[in-house]
Amino acid sequence: MNRKRQKTLNETFDDAPSGEAAEQFIEGTELETPTTETEIPRISRVMQMMVSKRNAKEALKRVLHNKGAAGIDGMTVEQLPAYLKMHWQRIRQELLEGRYKPQPLRRVEIPKPGGGMRKLGIPTVLDRFIQQAMQQILQGYFDQTFSKSSYGFRPRRSAHQAVWQAQQYVGSGLRWVVDIDLEKFFDRVNHDILMGLLASRIEDRNALKLVRSYLKSGVLEDGLVQPTTEGQPQGGPLSPLLSNVMLDVLDKELERRGHKFVRYADDCNVYVASKRAGDRVMEAITKFLERKLKLRVNKEKSAVDRPSRRKFLGFSISTQQEPKRRIAPQSVARLKKRVREFTRKTKAMKLEMIIGALRRYLLGWKAYFGFCETPSVLQKLDRWIRRRLRRFIWLQWRRGHKRFTELIKRGVSRDLALQTIGNPHGAWHLSNSPALSIALPNKYFKELGLPQLAA
């Protein structure tokens, strides 16, 4: 962290009182003593710990780091420290006395990877800060009692670990998967059930009141505040933890029944030895979710099938003797769609800018999907991406004279250049021609900064 930001964090809460008990607790986010399933601790003094100087400073640090858009009040992340310096004493007192009222969320819709739109609720930056402070306290208490088969939004756990565990189950002989897709999970979380689960662990009434107020804060849409009577808005720091609290009930039921499963947020896969067993599990879990949590299973998207034919966190798992992690076809298709957007012929951008944008996207994609065990797929994608770029450049050259000049300048023989220009086939066909491979070799794209997925 740079010195300027550290100074900002130090100064923001300089005048805030610090409770000794709360400060002693905020050494990390772990319980002071181990717990067992039969001895789950109840939490008191949540609000005192939440507004402690150390916890507030850490929450502000994370909100500043995560950045993000403004809420309905227009306040930016950069403006938050100055606002807190002036108003934190009042806000702190309102929180401790149970008088704080969150503002409604700002509705934002983003495209889902598989099609359709996902509705997000963007809190104000102040409410993001308060939610982050609450999350830091509750995470440590709840996390140690969550299932070992839950991987989403938890410290020191990742999607890669979840995929690896699924691969181990398939390798152990469980060659069928019960792929459970919850229908609009975040929109259908039952507030009373969720609050009941929280109340079974939290004794601090003002903390429970604050969580419920966030669930019911409403959403500003088309100029009107729409009330929220069910559902859990996505977009705030508290949302992932609350989803794990809710779905931990499912985890515990699957454990009680002795199933091998992996859950990441609302994606849950149960691994079984036969289709018949999978059908029984699907029926039983569907009934359990509807009865116990008032949640529905999306029957169109859920299935009992081979892991090689299902997608889990962007991957599929082969069912050969030694199962391999493969990139799911849908994930490959999304990458190709994105690359086409970067390299479409109407793109009025310089090649260097396009490769710069591609670089940022591909490095992130590689960091995640490079976890696959099928390098041949990555090699094919590398060849395909370079071909798209050759096509783009060929179209940029446009006229025959320009194309001839560029080919000759780049080492193509006169005869081959004339033959290529006179070829009646389209740009995609010619992008794979010997002339363009000579003029625009792999080395050329590497020097421009294009990363290789298979490297």
Side-chain angles (χ1 to χ4, degrees):
M1 181 186 300
N2 60 45
R3 290 182 181 179
K4 185 177 179 181
R5 177 164 290 184
Q6 184 63 57
K7 184 180 178 183
T8 299
L9 291 173
N10 290 336
E11 291 178 348
T12 301
F13 303 103
D14 271 351
D15 298 329
S18 56
E20 185 178 346
E23 294 293 348
Q24 287 176 354
F25 171 82
I26 311 297
E27 294 295 334
T29 54
E30 297 181 355
L31 291 168
E32 295 169 348
T33 56
T35 62
T36 65
E37 250 184 86
T38 57
E39 187 187 349
I40 298 177
R42 289 176 61 80
I43 318 167
S44 59
R45 307 191 329 277
V46 173
M47 299 305 290
Q48 289 92 338
M49 293 185 287
M50 179 184 134
V51 300
S52 70
K53 187 186 297 184
R54 191 178 304 180
N55 190 59
K57 191 185 294 185
E58 179 62 23
L60 179 58
K61 175 182 172 182
R62 294 190 186 185
V63 170
L64 291 174
H65 177 266
N66 293 335
K67 299 182 180 179
I72 64 168
D73 61 355
M75 185 191 300
T76 65
V77 168
E78 291 75 21
Q79 294 170 322
L80 179 60
Y83 182 85
L84 287 173
K85 188 171 178 61
M86 291 182 63
H87 300 284
W88 175 237
Q89 291 285 16
R90 171 184 58 79
I91 295 167
R92 182 181 185 277
Q93 201 60 33
E94 288 178 0
L95 288 166
L96 289 172
E97 295 173 3
R99 295 186 292 109
Y100 181 80
K101 302 289 185 186
Q103 295 193 62
L105 305 169
R106 181 169 66 87
R107 172 68 76 214
V108 173
E109 294 187 354
I110 61 171
K112 288 183 179 180
M117 302 298 289
R118 175 178 284 117
K119 292 185 176 183
L120 299 182
I122 306 301
T124 64
V125 292
L126 174 61
D127 283 323
R128 286 215 294 278
F129 160 74
I130 294 171
Q131 286 191 37
Q132 180 64 44
M134 172 75 81
Q135 187 268 350
Q136 288 169 185
I137 300 303
L138 298 185
Q139 182 80 45
Y141 277 104
F142 280 91
D143 193 76
Q144 291 191 23
T145 61
F146 286 155
S147 168
K148 291 180 180 178
S149 297
S150 166
Y151 290 86
F153 310 120
R154 298 183 61 190
R156 298 174 293 280
R157 287 177 167 248
S158 68
H160 283 173
Q161 291 173 338
V163 174
W164 182 88
Q165 184 58 70
Q167 183 182 8
Q168 304 313 300
Y169 287 143
V170 176
S172 71
L174 303 175
R175 300 302 177 96
W176 289 86
V177 61
V178 183
D179 187 353
I180 300 169
D181 183 277
L182 296 175
E183 188 176 281
K184 297 183 179 179
F185 167 71
F186 287 96
D187 295 335
R188 291 190 171 148
V189 168
N190 184 287
H191 290 179
D192 291 334
I193 293 174
L194 176 56
M195 291 306 303
L197 294 170
L198 292 170
S200 69
R201 298 282 304 278
I202 299 174
E203 292 179 342
D204 191 323
R205 291 185 179 181
N206 285 338
L208 292 171
K209 183 179 178 181
L210 181 62
V211 174
R212 186 178 279 276
S213 69
Y214 275 119
L215 292 174
K216 294 188 173 298
S217 60
V219 180
L220 182 64
E221 198 167 8
D222 298 327
L224 297 173
V225 176
Q226 307 293 337
T228 47
T229 57
E230 66 173 354
Q232 178 191 315
Q234 299 180 72
L238 202 52
S239 178
L241 175 62
L242 297 182
S243 68
N244 274 334
V245 169
M246 188 77 166
L247 291 176
D248 188 57
V249 177
L250 170 62
D251 297 342
K252 294 298 191 289
E253 179 65 14
L254 291 170
E255 288 177 342
R256 188 185 70 79
R257 298 181 184 208
H259 292 308
K260 305 296 184 184
F261 70 99
V262 180
R263 183 177 66 78
Y264 191 98
D266 56 336
D267 288 335
C268 184
N269 280 3
V270 184
Y271 294 89
V272 295
S274 68
K275 187 175 188 306
R276 185 177 178 184
D279 290 336
R280 287 199 303 268
V281 171
M282 179 68 82
E283 182 180 2
I285 295 305
T286 298
K287 289 179 180 177
F288 173 82
L289 286 166
E290 291 175 351
R291 184 182 71 253
K292 188 76 175 178
L293 298 179
K294 310 299 182 190
L295 296 172
R296 298 179 191 170
V297 171
N298 188 325
K299 295 181 180 179
E300 290 183 3
K301 294 184 179 180
S302 301
V304 178
D305 206 343
R306 297 289 190 182
S308 58
R309 292 197 289 260
R310 302 300 296 179
K311 176 173 68 73
F312 181 54
L313 302 178
F315 293 89
S316 61
I317 300 169
S318 68
T319 48
Q320 58 202 67
Q321 189 171 0
E322 291 186 14
K324 301 289 185 184
R325 298 184 297 271
R326 303 188 306 191
I327 304 173
Q330 300 95 316
S331 302
V332 173
R334 281 200 294 273
L335 174 132
K336 288 189 171 184
K337 181 181 178 183
R338 194 79 177 99
V339 173
R340 286 190 185 99
E341 290 172 358
F342 284 121
T343 59
R344 63 180 183 267
K345 66 179 181 180
T346 56
K347 201 84 170 179
M349 289 174 64
K350 291 184 178 180
L351 179 64
E352 291 78 8
M353 293 178 65
I354 289 174
I355 288 186
L358 269 176
R359 177 181 174 80
R360 291 187 290 273
Y361 173 73
L362 293 175
L363 286 176
W365 193 92
K366 179 182 178 180
Y368 185 77
F369 287 104
F371 187 60
C372 75
E373 296 177 306
T374 50
S376 61
V377 174
L378 299 179
Q379 291 164 4
K380 288 178 182 177
L381 285 172
D382 278 331
R383 290 194 292 269
W384 183 84
I385 291 167
R386 288 191 293 265
R387 188 175 175 183
R388 284 289 307 182
L389 286 168
R390 290 186 181 108
R391 172 188 176 274
F392 175 81
I393 295 168
W394 182 253
L395 290 171
Q396 271 201 330
W397 289 344
R398 294 188 181 182
R399 301 185 184 280
H401 176 72
K402 172 71 170 174
R403 290 172 174 175
F404 179 78
T405 302
E406 290 290 344
L407 290 175
I408 295 297
K409 184 172 69 176
R410 294 165 187 267
V412 178
S413 70
R414 182 183 180 86
D415 288 344
L416 183 56
L418 289 171
Q419 181 184 336
T420 305
I421 294 168
N423 194 307
H425 289 98
W428 179 245
H429 179 87
L430 291 174
S431 65
N432 203 33
S433 67
L436 286 184
S437 295
I438 294 169
L440 304 169
N442 297 352
K443 182 181 177 182
Y444 170 73
F445 295 113
K446 185 176 181 180
E447 288 172 349
L448 286 175
L450 181 72
Q452 284 188 267
L453 300 178

